[in-house]
Amino acid sequence: MNKEIIKIFDTTLRDGEQSPGASMNTEEKIQIAVQLERLGVDIIESGFAAASPGDFDAISRIAQRVTNSTICSLARAKDSDVKAAGEAIAAAKMRRIHTFIATSSIHMEHKLKMTPDEVIKRAVRAVEYARTFVDDVEFSCEDAGRSDISFMKEIVDAVIEAGASTINLPDTVGYRLPSEIGAMVKEMSEYTHNRAIISVHNHNDLGLAVANSLESVMNGARQVECTINGLGERAGNAALEEIVMAIKTRSDIFGGYTTNINTKEIYPASRLIANITGIEPQPNKAIVGKNAFAHESGIHQDGMLKNKDTYEIISPADIGLDMEDTLVLGKHSGRAAFKDKLGKLGFEVDEEALNTAFERFKEFADKKKEIYDDDIRALMTSQMTRVAKAYELVSLQLMDCSNGVPSSAVTIRHDGIETTDAGIGDGTMDAIFKTIDRITGYQGRLIEYKVTSVSKGKDALANVTTKVTFNDNQPAMIGHGLSPDTMMASARAYIGALNSYLSMEGMLRLRHADSGETI
Ligand code: KIV
Ligand code: ZN
């Protein structure tokens, strides 16, 4: 039987990035886009081009790099946004502009301060203008969940006429129940019939985003918008892994439908996003949480030993999680074994990258007895997302601060020159960050600090995420540091944020120089 494809539109890089604390640098976004392509995502919403030069740059680099997924940029229904989106995705093999305007009375009256007729005019103009850049235009009725359905029909007729081929109906505030969303999608998909594809985009404020998305599929939606790990604004978006695995696992119900997702890439994608954002899925999160396949009770363990089907509806292998082979390497492991492991984990590296990774692996293995798959994933993520190295931590020494003044000695390499300095602070971390500031000449303000442990053991790798402002007129930058030593990881994370800031600042200068402006 020929199954109908449900298109998976991933918005981790756009709506997901709107999660508090989830902003990413360009290298990180590129690595995520590459993994989404490997996962088989149909459309990658790679950002909001008009939001900042950083977003524009990341989208255009993703457009050059990814060839098997459609690259999409979001644009409000205004010319400058649509133009930025069109230009940012110009290099993509397959490209889409996603434009939107709110259609609920509450948004039109209080936010847009526009009449319904004005909203329709703006929507039509945006779609027509978008069609001058691309053939593939998606239009979203923002807050569709609370919009009047007869008004939506009116605006949808107009934008389809103007050239939109996908109509997205977001439950922007996550208010609707599955039965209500199902009824709305049914009515709208019967109304549009084969004039456009109906898409849904559900937020999770009531914990119903996935249920609403699945109900939408049953009622005619042929595109679902979602994010890895359910990342997203407020309570997040519908989780890609849950939607895809529900469709696959419950083929008795969803038998007529399938997706293009290679489910074995789900776990690697989830780890990549968690390592980059520092936002771990809750342990009991469906599909990708640390406990999703853990059987704690004796009765369950007994059942599992007799027959896995007693308590397991999904095999971990189906999402690319190898439960048996997680203990991997130690300090005596050779280069060949390490290379083999990288291959098994899906990392394609050239000789140079392999050498760097192996050196770092040896450094970690000296301090950490057992290295697990998740450690290797974290190590490779930090290597692949490094921005052009402006500053690099060479060494860190801490003085005993139990009775005296916390102090640190730091050596940093910059442009091939090593500089050492020492400083004191109110606490160890304060001393480290102040010493780094003295060496680099940049004054950072720490806004957020988070430490998580990768894999297990007292000697587990610490993954530190910092959010630091170096210039109050520019967004705070995220930095990551990885080390078996938490203080070392903290110093690396702080320097990582500075490097991201410098690469962003360099790019701003280039773009402003291009346009003849100065900053
Ligand atoms: O939630 C929402 O309405 C959105 C739109 C921009 C699609 O994210
Ligand atoms: Zn959204």
Side-chain angles (χ1 to χ4, degrees):
M1 170 178 136
N2 263 354
K3 296 190 176 199
E4 255 191 277
I5 302 279
I6 304 299
K7 288 191 190 184
I8 299 296
F9 176 114
D10 180 280
T11 183
T12 307
L13 291 169
R14 199 277 298 168
D15 222 326
E17 213 214 3
Q18 288 170 220
S19 299
S23 57
M24 310 157 196
N25 70 34
T26 301
E27 294 307 321
E28 292 166 341
K29 288 181 182 175
I30 293 171
Q31 288 309 321
I32 290 175
V34 167
Q35 177 59 31
L36 293 174
E37 180 186 34
R38 200 176 288 150
L39 180 63
V41 160
D42 298 283
I43 301 110
I44 299 175
E45 186 163 57
S46 46
F48 179 9
S52 74
D55 281 65
F56 185 97
D57 182 60
I59 296 168
S60 37
R61 289 188 48 202
I62 290 168
Q64 287 158 28
R65 177 78 181 260
V66 170
T67 51
N68 291 323
S69 305
T70 295
I71 300 303
C72 170
S73 170
L74 185 69
R76 285 166 297 185
K78 53 194 276 196
D79 283 5
S80 51
D81 273 32
V82 172
K83 183 168 186 283
E87 288 173 355
I89 59 173
K93 193 168 150 210
M94 296 180 283
R95 46 189 184 274
R96 171 182 294 190
I97 294 177
H98 173 196
T99 186
F100 73 99
I101 193 162
T103 49
S104 63
S105 307
I106 184 164
H107 277 232
M108 290 192 287
E109 199 178 317
H110 299 285
K111 184 182 80 172
L112 299 175
K113 301 195 188 317
M114 286 166 75
T115 64
D117 278 351
E118 284 167 335
V119 167
I120 293 180
K121 271 201 196 103
R122 278 278 288 275
V124 167
R125 162 71 196 162
V127 171
E128 280 174 354
Y129 188 42
R131 283 297 304 265
T132 66
F133 295 93
V134 291
D135 292 335
D136 183 353
V137 175
E138 170 172 334
F139 174 77
S140 281
C141 302
E142 190 193 8
D143 204 15
R146 294 187 299 173
S147 298
D148 173 54
I149 203 142
S150 49
F151 178 59
M152 280 205 291
K153 287 179 181 169
E154 213 182 311
I155 196 164
V156 160
D157 280 341
V159 294
I160 291 176
E161 179 69 25
S165 45
T166 302
I167 300 296
N168 185 36
L169 304 173
D171 184 21
T172 304
V173 292
Y175 176 70
R176 289 291 166 201
L177 304 181
S179 55
E180 296 172 303
I181 287 279
M184 173 185 77
V185 168
K186 187 169 192 308
E187 189 166 342
M188 290 304 288
S189 60
E190 281 172 3
Y191 183 70
T192 51
H193 192 45
N194 54 9
R195 292 184 293 150
I197 284 183
I198 293 291
S199 166
V200 287
H201 174 116
N202 291 303
H203 278 271
N204 205 30
D205 299 67
L206 292 175
L208 294 169
V210 170
N212 284 347
S213 304
L214 294 172
E215 192 62 24
S216 302
V217 168
M218 299 305 283
N219 283 284
R222 293 294 170 264
Q223 174 178 290
V224 178
E225 304 196 353
C226 44
T227 59
I228 303 289
N229 296 345
L231 225 57
E233 185 87 39
R234 305 183 310 280
N237 289 57
L240 179 150
E241 60 277 8
E242 294 179 25
I243 294 169
V244 168
M245 291 314 290
I247 292 176
K248 184 177 158 106
T249 308
R250 294 307 308 273
S251 58
D252 53 330
I253 305 286
F254 292 100
Y257 311 113
T258 188
T259 68
N260 287 322
I261 296 297
N262 171 5
T263 61
K264 290 198 183 315
E265 293 294 341
I266 285 180
Y267 186 71
S270 170
R271 291 318 309 151
L272 181 71
I273 306 294
N275 284 331
I276 285 180
T277 59
I279 302 174
E280 279 294 325
Q282 73 204 49
N284 57 331
K285 159 94 178 59
I287 317 293
V288 293
K290 278 206 160 68
N291 298 344
F293 296 98
H295 298 275
E296 198 67 22
S297 97
I299 298 171
H300 287 207
Q301 286 171 352
D302 179 55
M304 284 290 288
L305 287 171
K306 289 174 176 148
N307 181 337
K308 288 197 167 159
D309 290 345
T310 50
Y311 288 102
E312 201 168 79
I313 59 161
I314 298 168
S315 158
D318 281 355
I319 61 155
L321 172 60
D322 189 343
M323 300 288 278
E324 267 89 52
D325 195 23
T326 49
L327 175 60
V328 277
L329 306 166
K331 76 179 193 183
H332 299 297
S333 307
R335 202 167 174 280
F338 180 69
K339 187 177 175 189
D340 183 59
K341 191 70 199 179
L342 290 188
K344 281 196 183 131
L345 294 179
F347 294 103
E348 292 156 18
V349 285
D350 58 19
E351 270 312 279
E352 197 188 329
L354 173 64
N355 290 342
T356 313
F358 188 58
E359 237 174 71
R360 292 190 72 209
F361 159 73
K362 282 288 182 190
E363 182 200 318
F364 286 170
D366 256 355
K367 298 186 185 126
K368 186 177 188 318
K369 258 208 261 103
E370 295 162 336
I371 302 233
Y372 296 85
D373 285 3
D374 281 352
D375 294 321
I376 305 270
R377 285 192 178 99
L379 183 154
M380 291 309 292
T381 303
S382 80
Q383 176 170 325
M384 292 183 316
T385 54
R386 256 189 267 182
V387 293
K389 270 255 156 157
Y391 291 93
E392 192 184 353
L393 181 69
V394 178
S395 68
L396 170 69
Q397 251 183 299
L398 301 172
M399 317 311 156
D400 180 11
C401 58
S402 46
N403 295 313
V405 182
S407 53
S408 76
V410 178
T411 302
I412 288 177
R413 190 181 301 120
H414 177 48
D415 265 352
I417 297 168
E418 286 186 7
T419 310
T420 303
D421 205 342
I424 56 169
D426 292 334
T428 311
M429 208 88 81
D430 191 42
I432 297 172
F433 295 164
K434 278 187 175 144
T435 312
I436 295 172
D437 285 351
R438 277 162 60 123
I439 295 176
T440 61
Y442 288 91
Q443 301 296 313
R445 191 157 53 80
L446 187 68
I447 296 184
E448 249 175 60
Y449 174 91
K450 194 162 47 184
V451 56
T452 50
S453 82
V454 183
S455 78
K456 38 193 165 174
K458 282 185 193 147
D459 57 358
L461 285 184
N463 187 3
V464 171
T465 307
T466 55
K467 190 170 176 189
V468 188
T469 309
F470 293 94
N471 174 341
D472 283 338
N473 298 323
Q474 281 182 31
M477 302 312 293
I478 304 268
H480 302 286
L482 198 63
S483 171
D485 182 288
T486 310
M487 290 302 137
M488 194 82 175
S490 305
R492 283 190 175 139
Y494 188 79
I495 293 173
L498 174 62
N499 286 334
S500 286
Y501 167 71
L502 292 174
S503 78
M504 177 75 74
E505 213 205 9
M507 193 192 62
L508 280 176
R509 274 189 213 294
L510 278 179
R511 278 181 57 76
H512 282 268
D514 268 0
S515 62
E517 292 171 45
T518 51
I519 39 175

